[in-house]
């Protein structure tokens, strides 16, 4: 299958507008299982991407979404099956990736609304995908050069994303108001966002790229700054916020304890 993927990457770089292809996801990180997808980042430049050629390469019956077709950040791509195995093409505008990397170097980032990302799409993911990915095809050497530059996690970005942990406390303040009204949905949303922010902060503190909400907690709970039983406590709070004002208030109070411990650890 690896040989098939490498051949596909070479064919993709022959599509006008495509600069290079990277292997991403769990397979690039060596964390994959037998059923894991093959995620291919297809990096293109500007408005010159030849969608007709891309669709011809994908073959009949495969829908290829052009830039913007899947939203403002995930952009576009295609879902293929090759010998029964899922292969995902994920479009990335290389010029935009490089602009995001420039922001990361000075501690700037965005969180955008994006279908499929319940906690929003955190822009440093673009740089992290390059840093953690494997270059498969790169005729101009531009991806390899960018990967070299992203090898070191920027300290200004680390400071900015670690500091974002303050938002978790604010979210729990407003969650307490929702708990008093027995508003279980509002409390659940606040908890999810607060815990997602803490997970992002823990990754940044350890100079790790957080590329997706999926699997992020499993990584964060093993990091040095994570409080004792961080994962089990968080999962328990998310699983049963409760329905009455009293139960919801108790859940928020326990979430405050966990958040306070996490923030204190991040500040040490």
């Amino acid at each position: 299958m690896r040989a098939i993927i490498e051949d596909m990457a070479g064919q993709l770089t022959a599509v006008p507008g495509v600069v290079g292809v990277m292997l991403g996801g769990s397979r690039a990180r060596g964390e994959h299982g037998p059923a894991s997808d093959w995620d291919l980042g297809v990096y293109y430049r500007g408005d010159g991407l030849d969608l007709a050629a891309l669709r011809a390469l994908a073959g009949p019956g495969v829908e290829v979404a052009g830039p913007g077709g899947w939203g403002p950040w995930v952009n576009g791509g295609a879902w293929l099956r090759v010998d029964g195995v899922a292969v995902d093409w994920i479009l990335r505008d290389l010029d935009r990736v490089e602009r995001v990397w420039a922001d990361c170097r000075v501690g700037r980032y965005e969180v955008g609304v994006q279908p499929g990302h319940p906690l929003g799409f955190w822009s440093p993911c673009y740089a992290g995908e390059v840093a953690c990915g494997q270059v498969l095809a790169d005729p101009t050497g531009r991806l390899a050069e960018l990967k070299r530059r992203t090898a070191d996690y920027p300290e200004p970005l680390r400071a900015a994303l670690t500091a974002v942990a303050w938002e978790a406390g604010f979210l729990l303040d407003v969650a307490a108001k929702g708990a008093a009204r027995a508003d279980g949905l509002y409390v659940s949303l606040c908890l999810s966002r607060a815990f997602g922010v803490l997970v992002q902060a823990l990754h940044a503190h350890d100079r790790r790229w957080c590329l997706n909400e999926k699997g992020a907690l499993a990584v964060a709970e093993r990091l040095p700054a994570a409080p004792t039983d961080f994962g089990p406590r968080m999962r328990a709070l998310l699983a049963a916020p409760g329905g009455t004002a009293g139960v919801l208030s108790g859940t928020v109070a326990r979430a405050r304890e966990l958040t306070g411990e996490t923030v204190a650890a991040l500040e040490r």
Side-chain angles (χ1 to χ4, degrees), residues 235-249:
R235 292 186 187 94
L237 290 165
L238 289 171
T244 67
V247 173
L248 286 168
S249 295

Side-chain angles (χ1 to χ4, degrees), residues 12-268:
L12 283 164
T13 57
V15 172
V18 174
V19 176
V21 178
M22 295 193 76
L23 176 66
S26 61
R27 290 192 179 274
R29 299 190 300 272
E31 301 169 352
H32 59 282
S36 296
D37 296 353
W38 290 80
D39 296 323
L40 300 185
V42 181
Y43 290 80
Y44 66 94
R45 289 202 65 186
D47 300 325
L49 180 62
D50 190 336
L51 283 175
L54 204 58
R55 287 170 177 141
L57 181 59
V62 178
E63 181 180 351
V64 178
W70 284 353
W73 285 97
V74 175
N75 209 2
W79 296 325
L80 296 82
R81 301 289 299 185
V82 179
D83 292 342
V85 179
V87 178
D88 298 339
W89 294 353
I90 304 168
L91 298 182
R92 288 287 183 260
D93 181 338
L94 185 54
D95 291 333
R96 188 180 186 190
V97 172
E98 291 188 325
R99 288 195 299 271
V100 166
W101 170 239
D103 284 343
C104 289
R105 291 175 60 199
V106 295
R108 290 196 301 263
Y109 66 93
E110 299 177 53
V111 182
V113 175
Q114 172 63 50
H117 286 264
L119 293 173
F121 189 95
W122 295 61
S123 63
C125 176
Y126 275 179
E129 287 173 340
V130 176
C132 300
Q134 296 178 18
V135 177
L136 295 179
D138 184 26
T140 67
R142 194 165 171 193
L143 285 181
E145 171 59 20
L146 183 56
K147 182 171 176 62
R148 182 191 65 78
R149 286 188 278 133
T150 58
D152 294 325
Y153 196 100
E155 288 303 306
L157 181 65
R158 178 180 184 253
L161 288 177
T162 302
V164 80
W166 75 267
E167 186 186 345
F170 174 78
L171 284 162
L172 293 176
D173 286 343
V174 296
K177 298 178 181 179
R181 299 191 301 270
D183 191 337
L185 173 61
Y186 184 72
V187 171
S188 294
L189 291 171
C190 289
L191 289 176
S192 295
R193 173 73 185 179
F195 291 159
V197 164
L198 293 179
V199 165
Q200 282 280 353
L202 284 166
H203 275 76
H205 187 267
D206 199 55
R207 299 177 179 83
R208 289 176 179 255
W209 297 99
C210 187
L211 303 183
N212 199 299
E213 300 99 332
K214 292 184 293 185
L217 175 56
V219 173
E221 67 181 321
R222 298 193 300 269
L223 297 178
T228 302
D229 294 329
F230 179 78
R233 292 163 70 188
M234 186 172 288
R235 292 186 187 94
L237 290 165
L238 289 171
T244 67
V247 173
L248 286 168
S249 295
T251 299
V252 172
R254 293 194 300 277
R256 284 187 193 276
E257 293 176 5
L258 180 57
T259 297
E261 292 175 30
T262 306
V263 171
L266 292 169
E267 292 174 347
R268 284 198 288 269

